[in-house]
Amino acid sequence: MIKFFRKIRYDLMDKNKAGKYFKYAIGEILLVVIGILIALSINNWNQSRLNAITETKILEEIKNDLIETLKDANNDLKDHNEMLSSTFKSIQFLQQSKVNLDTLSKTLRRSFGDTRTYAKSGGMEYLKSKGLAIVKSDSLRKAITDLYELSIKRLDQSAEEYDNDNAFAPYLKSYFTITSDPVRNIKPSYLNDSIPLYRYKIKDYNKIKIDSSLLTALKNLSLFRLRKIRRTVSAIENINYVLDLINNELNK
């Protein structure tokens, strides 16, 4: 094809047909420009198609991550509410003249328990590697980044704010003794055999109930627990909101 156009150009030049040659040259330039524009359009269309496929994969992965994170957060919310209830009961029991020591032992141990939401973030990391702009919807892109950078980050911060085990350790050492009554067996992945966990029992109720620092620790713990509950509820609401946006985008 190039040889064909070149032959026509040479023929026009040899025959001194300058007017026709310039018209031909302009036409040839236009054909080249049109060809380039068509090639760019095809390339842009193909890139848009590839971006759309990548966006769908990313959104599907984020969706699956959030579904798992939502299950974890809902379970943690249930546990936090139970632990908060145990804290209030413990405070009440410590202010009574008589109480069942087994019940108090259980509520105190449960009060200082803890749980943590570990958000799955593989999809978010995938999105960052491809660039946030690959998500076409501005509102969806903002909702996803706000969820991971604000709500989920606050959950991580809450988990680091109060060390329940260290807070309870002095009281466990001073006022509790280990019984021979096993609660349950656990089997760590690094061991072949299971390990029994034994029940703790309060040694002397009169001593533990006059320790004002324990009441203070329980009241402080309840404040931290309430903060965790609020942040977990907020995260759950935001996860559900983002899941709705993702489902709407995937169903278009």
Side-chain angles (χ1 to χ4, degrees):
M1 182 65 72
I2 295 175
K3 290 182 178 179
F4 173 74
F5 285 116
R6 187 180 296 163
K7 184 177 183 302
I8 295 175
R9 185 166 64 247
Y10 288 158
D11 288 344
L12 291 173
M13 291 175 65
D14 290 341
K15 296 176 181 179
N16 293 322
K17 295 180 179 179
K20 290 184 178 181
Y21 171 76
F22 285 122
K23 289 180 182 178
Y24 166 79
I26 292 171
E28 189 175 0
I29 292 171
L30 287 175
L31 284 175
V32 171
V33 171
I34 291 170
I36 292 172
L37 291 176
I38 291 173
L40 288 173
S41 297
I42 293 173
N43 183 66
N44 290 339
W45 171 84
N46 189 55
Q47 188 60 51
S48 297
R49 181 181 64 84
L50 294 175
N51 286 346
I53 293 172
T54 301
E55 180 189 15
T56 299
K57 288 181 179 179
I58 290 172
L59 292 180
E60 288 283 3
E61 188 168 343
I62 291 176
K63 175 183 174 180
N64 292 334
D65 286 349
L66 291 181
I67 289 172
E68 292 300 315
T69 301
L70 184 61
K71 291 178 184 177
D72 194 11
N74 277 315
N75 289 334
D76 286 348
L77 179 61
K78 179 182 176 182
D79 288 340
H80 282 311
N81 279 311
E82 289 176 357
M83 292 171 191
L84 181 63
S85 176
S86 292
T87 304
F88 291 149
K89 288 178 182 178
S90 296
I91 293 172
Q92 181 183 0
F93 291 154
L94 287 170
Q95 294 172 328
Q96 294 176 355
S97 57
K98 290 184 180 180
V99 68
N100 183 290
L101 292 185
D102 286 340
T103 302
L104 178 58
S105 296
K106 290 177 183 177
T107 57
L108 278 173
R109 291 281 293 164
R110 186 62 171 158
S111 296
F112 284 90
D114 202 11
T115 184
R116 178 174 183 169
T117 301
Y118 290 94
K120 294 184 177 297
S121 58
M124 185 61 184
E125 294 304 316
Y126 186 17
L127 173 58
K128 289 179 180 178
S129 70
K130 294 297 181 181
L132 298 177
I134 202 163
V135 176
K136 296 187 296 293
S137 170
D138 293 338
S139 59
L140 176 56
R141 184 170 59 251
K142 184 177 185 303
I144 292 173
T145 54
D146 285 351
L147 174 62
Y148 279 94
E149 297 300 324
L150 297 176
S151 296
I152 290 178
K153 190 167 285 186
R154 289 191 188 108
L155 284 183
D156 291 336
Q157 291 171 349
S158 294
E160 305 294 338
E161 285 176 347
Y162 194 86
D163 190 333
N164 299 46
D165 289 337
N166 282 340
F168 188 51
Y171 307 107
L172 187 64
K173 181 178 180 181
S174 299
Y175 303 120
F176 286 78
T177 184
I178 299 178
T179 70
S180 58
D181 182 16
V183 180
R184 65 181 187 276
N185 292 333
I186 61 170
K187 187 177 181 302
S189 58
Y190 52 85
L191 293 178
N192 294 326
D193 300 322
S194 60
I195 302 174
L197 292 181
Y198 293 96
R199 192 181 304 279
Y200 281 86
K201 183 176 73 173
I202 294 175
K203 292 184 287 188
D204 189 334
Y205 174 63
N206 291 323
K207 286 184 178 180
I208 194 173
K209 100 173 188 175
I210 63 173
D211 189 340
S212 59
S213 68
L214 177 56
L215 277 176
T216 301
L218 286 167
K219 290 175 182 178
N220 289 337
L221 176 61
S222 67
L223 296 177
F224 282 107
R225 185 80 66 191
L226 283 168
R227 185 182 302 170
K228 285 184 179 182
I229 289 173
R230 285 195 299 269
R231 290 180 175 179
T232 303
V233 168
S234 176
I236 289 172
E237 291 174 350
N238 289 331
I239 289 171
N240 281 317
Y241 173 65
V242 171
L243 282 173
D244 287 340
L245 290 180
I246 290 175
N247 285 328
N248 291 336
E249 190 68 24
L250 292 174
N251 291 331
K252 285 183 179 179

